[in-house]
Structures are given as C-alpha cells and as structure tokens.
Amino acid sequence: MLTVTVACAGGSQVERGCRLPLGASAHTDDLRDLAHDLLASLGIQRVRVRGLALRCEDLVDAAVVAEQLSFEPERAHRLTAEKAVDQLNNRFGPRTAGPAATYRRAG
C-alpha cells in the first residue's frame, strides 16, 4: 500500500492511498508511477503545499516476490539496470551508483 499525504498551508491535510495494480513489485519505477498517479488524482491546484509524505506499507522481502516478466524491451532494460545498481550499492556502499541526474557535475 502506498499512501500520499499532502499538508497544506492552512493546516489541512489531504491523503490518498492505493495498492500496486499488478501486485508486489521490487522496482522503483512501479512505486514512482503509482505516487505520480496518486498525486494527480488529488487534483490539487493553486494550493500552497507545506509538506509531502509518501508512506509504503505491507512491504515484503524482494527475494519473496516472483520474477516479473515484461514484454516491453525498454522496461526490461531499465529493470535489469536497476537490479545491477542495487547490487553495486549493496556491495560497495550506498550511493556508489545511481541515476546520473542525482550526481553533481565534476569541475
């Protein structure tokens, strides 16, 4: 279960949650896409947002989740790369590898 909570400037809070449509997943893309969908479903316009929280519940060990097959080559490549990045970070420490956009420019 993924829950999005938005705290507004007036002190009110809006919360929306749902489960992954395809069941358990060990992939960041699936959680990110669901979070974007939840935010879009809130229909927030012209609201001063003071806080944003994402909460994941009912998590299971990735080793228990069945292998997910994909018929989209681009998605399959991203999932393979994500698995390799996770293995590198487990072996050499956090933030050893990740998306290029998260690293500062050298110089």
Side-chain angles (χ1 to χ4, degrees):
M1 174 85 150
L2 182 66
T3 305
V4 173
T5 305
V6 178
C8 302
S12 64
Q13 286 189 346
V14 180
E15 187 173 285
R16 177 86 35 102
C18 71
R19 297 194 177 280
L20 285 167
L22 300 175
S25 173
H27 302 295
T28 307
D29 286 350
D30 297 335
L31 291 173
R32 185 198 62 227
D33 292 345
L34 181 59
H36 282 240
D37 292 346
L38 285 172
L39 283 171
S41 73
L42 290 174
I44 297 175
Q45 295 179 11
R46 298 183 184 159
V47 174
R48 293 187 339 216
V49 174
R50 294 289 189 188
L52 176 68
L54 294 172
R55 184 175 65 240
C56 295
E57 300 172 305
D58 303 328
L59 299 176
V60 296
D61 191 334
V64 180
V65 178
E67 178 95 17
Q68 296 177 351
L69 299 177
S70 176
F71 297 109
E72 303 172 45
E74 295 84 14
R75 177 176 165 80
H77 293 310
R78 280 195 319 272
L79 299 181
T80 301
E82 181 180 337
K83 190 174 185 179
V85 167
D86 288 344
Q87 290 172 345
L88 285 169
N89 287 330
N90 286 338
R91 183 172 181 181
F92 298 108
R95 296 194 42 83
T96 299
T102 62
Y103 291 96
R104 290 185 321 162
R105 207 168 220 200

